[in-house]
Amino acid sequence: MRFKYSIPVVFVLALVIIEKENKIISKVSDKLALKQPPDSSLQLLLKPNHNGSLIFHPRTSAPVFTLMKRRLENYNSHQNSPRTKSKQKHILLLATTRTGSSFVGEFFNQQGDNMFYLFEPLWHVEKMLTLEGGGTNATAAAKAYRDVLQQLFQCDFSLLESFIEPPPVDHVTTNLFRRWSSSSLCADSVCSPFVQGDFEKFHCKTRKCGPLNLTMASQSCLQKDHRAIKSVRVRQLETLRPLAEDPRLDVKFIQLVRDPRAVLASRIVAFEQYKNWKEWATQGNVPLDDDEVRKLKGNCDNIRTSAQIGLKQPKWLRGRYMLVRYEDIARFPMRKAAEMYKFAGIPFTPQVKSWIAKNTQVSQKETSGVYSLQRNSSEHVEKWRFSLPFKIAQVVQKVCKPTLKLFGYKVVNNEKMLTDRSVSLIEDKAFNFP
Ligand SMILES: *[C@@H]1O[C@H](CO)[C@@H](O)[C@H](O)[C@H]1NC(C)=O
Ligand SMILES: *[C@@H]1O[C@H](CO)[C@@H](O)[C@H](O)[C@H]1NC(C)=O
Ligand SMILES: *[C@@H]1O[C@H](CO)[C@@H](O)[C@H](O)[C@H]1NC(C)=O
Ligand SMILES: *[C@@H]1O[C@H](CO)[C@@H](O)[C@H](O)[C@H]1NC(C)=O
């Protein structure tokens, strides 16, 4: 059985993809910290809103809620639009960095002609809403994320456009983040003629295209049966409730989680901002009241709270939430992909299957020199155990304990257990609903 062999190999591929993703994200994050919007009037519109309950539309200064109201008014006139297909699905892949979300995003990016896929569109929103000291106002950002997603799922790029720097001209931009990661944005129908000398930062790799014309993107999006968006930026699932309740949408949330100890191990290697952790790992003890530790706890709590709400299946989320562990995808990619498609209610196409199979073979060839194929998949998934010092693992376990427990990640009691290959830290756990 070829498939049996392919499992560990896919994981190698996943690792490679994650590494790539994070190089970019870490570069980006570094920039975020330094970011200074060039236009100070823009800054004025965005920043001084510490008191208010509304965030402002960056270019028009119209409060987002006014825009929403307007959209709801429009809604009545569009309600009977023939484009509204009852079978149309809107998939939102929610994750955090270093959880393999780019890889899982490919499951949908590769679906074929019926899918419009966007890779991290909220990057622009986060970037613009980043405050001077770094970070965002979580409340304000959550609203903006939600509103942008709600529009994008309807193929409306206008709010997103207002967050793109420099501002698109006639809905054309040379700066859409990672355009090349969305096959939909590099399809023939969205590929305007290439112009010599027009520099596009994230240009398509499969063909030469001119700068991205978002009018064309929107038109192409409207032709598709299904839409999928991947994001590592949404903190709380609950903030997206209006999407679930929007009668124009049929949203399916897929939350991707990973052992927080592994995530931290991976971020320490990849991200410059984790340099304190790196220091603590090599010397000294971790001060438990440190900002970094609080941030870690905040992340774990957000992920757990979202999952708890999802798993509880409140009425607004019924049939709309699926939890997937990175470790299960790495070990059983084909099976998990099939499950996700089943959950989403869209056909698991031969294109996706063959993408998974093909990439497995490709990486088998590519990596056979580097990785020993004797190593089995659970070893790859748990490789972090040999790079993360026990004292760091302990800190994660201390502040993320309920998160580990919820997702079925075993706590280690001592250094020996951490590096004991005969003990897997991944408990079999099904997150299925009756
Ligand atoms: C809040 O800020 C807005 C401008 O952003 C201002 O118009 C308004 O008066 C402020 N409200 C309070 C209660 O300070
Ligand atoms: C963040 O934004 C919200 C709503 O926009 C506002 O109510 C809150 O005061 C802001 N918080 C901070 C710390 O600026
Ligand atoms: C963008 O595409 C639309 C639709 O095809 C077209 O009408 C418009 O002229 C294009 N914009 C530019 C600036 O080329
Ligand atoms: C794979 O590795 C795990 C953990 O090291 C071990 O328990 C398991 O027996 C191994 N399986 C095979 C088939 O080698």
Side-chain angles (χ1 to χ4, degrees):
M1 269 190 36
R2 211 180 61 203
F3 179 56
K4 211 168 160 185
Y5 289 100
S6 72
I7 289 171
V9 169
V10 165
F11 183 67
V12 174
L13 175 75
L15 275 181
V16 169
I17 289 177
I18 292 164
E19 291 305 321
K20 281 191 187 151
E21 168 191 4
N22 284 290
K23 266 192 206 117
I24 288 163
I25 291 177
S26 64
K27 271 187 212 150
V28 162
S29 320
D30 293 348
K31 275 199 201 130
L32 288 188
L34 301 171
K35 190 192 96 35
Q36 275 287 353
D39 178 349
S40 57
S41 65
L42 201 70
Q43 208 168 355
L44 275 175
L45 288 173
L46 287 166
K47 301 282 164 70
N49 189 32
H50 297 296
N51 72 338
S53 57
L54 300 171
I55 66 154
F56 285 82
H57 188 290
R59 292 235 160 66
T60 63
S61 80
V64 167
F65 106 109
T66 312
L67 294 174
M68 284 178 65
K69 225 161 90 188
R70 212 180 301 144
R71 279 204 304 280
L72 287 174
E73 281 155 15
N74 289 343
Y75 165 54
N76 292 328
S77 52
H78 289 302
Q79 211 167 13
N80 300 319
S81 143
R83 284 251 62 94
T84 314
K85 298 173 188 157
S86 58
K87 291 251 176 70
Q88 197 169 60
K89 306 294 181 196
H90 307 82
I91 298 147
L92 188 56
L93 179 60
L94 298 168
T96 51
T97 56
R98 311 304 284 190
T99 57
S101 62
S102 294
F103 183 67
V104 178
E106 285 300 308
F107 292 180
F108 297 104
N109 191 32
Q110 300 293 332
Q111 199 263 357
D113 288 343
N114 272 335
M115 177 69 75
F116 192 84
Y117 173 77
L118 292 173
F119 177 98
E120 295 297 338
L122 301 181
W123 181 91
H124 294 282
V125 181
E126 179 182 61
K127 189 165 186 227
M128 187 166 285
L129 294 181
T130 297
L131 304 164
E132 250 146 83
T136 54
N137 175 331
T139 318
K143 273 184 195 155
Y145 293 158
R146 179 195 68 204
D147 289 352
V148 169
L149 289 172
Q150 196 165 17
Q151 275 199 353
L152 289 176
F153 275 136
Q154 293 166 82
C155 305
D156 181 348
F157 286 84
S158 52
L159 190 54
L160 178 64
E161 277 192 38
S162 66
F163 289 98
I164 298 174
E165 279 296 341
V169 176
D170 291 335
H171 310 290
V172 173
T173 177
T174 55
N175 210 28
L176 191 90
F177 179 61
R178 294 280 297 267
R179 176 187 184 181
W180 64 48
S181 295
S182 158
S183 57
S184 313
L185 295 181
C186 292
D188 242 345
S189 55
V190 185
C191 186
S192 47
F194 179 74
V195 188
Q196 208 65 40
D198 244 338
F199 179 71
E200 198 184 1
K201 197 166 172 192
F202 303 101
H203 60 83
C204 295
K205 297 194 162 158
T206 45
R207 53 165 62 83
K208 272 194 164 180
C209 297
L212 178 62
N213 181 331
L214 290 165
T215 309
M216 287 165 83
S218 171
Q219 285 167 352
S220 168
C221 172
L222 286 165
Q223 304 302 316
K224 310 286 182 181
D225 285 339
H226 311 297
R227 288 143 206 181
I229 298 176
K230 128 162 160 77
S231 179
V232 295
R233 295 183 160 75
V234 175
R235 297 283 159 254
Q236 288 281 350
L237 178 60
E238 193 149 32
T239 61
L240 300 178
R241 180 168 174 168
L243 269 69
E245 292 177 335
D246 187 331
R248 294 162 296 182
L249 305 177
D250 188 356
V251 181
K252 303 284 185 178
F253 301 99
I254 299 179
Q255 187 182 1
L256 178 62
V257 300
R258 183 184 182 188
D259 187 326
R261 294 165 298 191
V263 170
L264 181 61
S266 181
R267 288 180 181 170
I268 287 174
V269 173
F271 296 163
E272 174 60 22
Q273 315 95 282
Y274 281 73
K275 61 176 189 293
N276 284 352
W277 287 101
K278 210 172 287 178
E279 269 167 35
W280 294 328
T282 49
Q283 50 198 274
N285 285 320
V286 185
L288 274 175
D289 60 346
D290 191 271
D291 262 357
E292 299 295 330
V293 180
R294 268 193 293 269
K295 237 185 274 167
L296 171 70
K297 180 170 169 18
N299 288 341
C300 277
D301 289 346
N302 278 335
I303 294 164
R304 177 176 47 87
T305 315
S306 294
Q308 278 170 330
I309 288 168
L311 295 173
K312 221 170 30 185
Q313 297 279 293
K315 197 155 164 250
W316 64 274
L317 261 181
R318 206 150 295 161
R320 301 201 178 284
Y321 176 83
M322 180 184 189
L323 180 72
V324 188
R325 295 189 304 186
Y326 162 92
E327 293 80 3
D328 294 326
I329 289 173
R331 295 179 299 171
F332 320 110
M334 197 69 87
R335 192 209 300 171
K336 294 316 270 186
E339 282 175 20
M340 282 186 245
Y341 269 91
K342 182 156 183 260
F343 160 75
I346 58 181
F348 187 36
T349 58
Q351 290 102 298
V352 186
K353 285 181 208 167
S354 85
W355 183 84
I356 295 174
K358 196 164 81 202
N359 282 281
T360 302
Q361 280 160 11
V362 166
S363 69
Q364 188 166 353
K365 272 188 232 140
E366 281 179 351
T367 59
S368 53
V370 183
Y371 293 89
S372 160
L373 292 176
Q374 316 295 358
R375 285 199 210 163
N376 72 27
S377 56
S378 55
E379 273 185 56
H380 273 300
V381 172
E382 302 196 67
K383 220 172 123 196
W384 63 269
R385 293 168 61 180
F386 303 95
S387 67
L388 194 74
F390 177 62
K391 66 180 173 194
I392 304 277
Q394 262 181 312
V395 174
V396 182
Q397 293 179 167
K398 188 160 183 139
V399 302
C400 298
K401 195 167 196 166
T403 309
L404 291 164
K405 185 160 188 288
L406 178 64
F407 299 141
Y409 300 126
K410 225 178 282 168
V411 164
V412 295
N413 304 317
N414 49 52
E415 178 130 31
K416 190 161 166 289
M417 186 180 172
L418 176 63
T419 53
D420 182 351
R421 283 170 205 273
S422 70
V423 183
S424 172
L425 301 185
I426 307 159
E427 287 164 5
D428 280 336
K429 192 151 183 170
F431 302 96
N432 299 326
F433 321 113

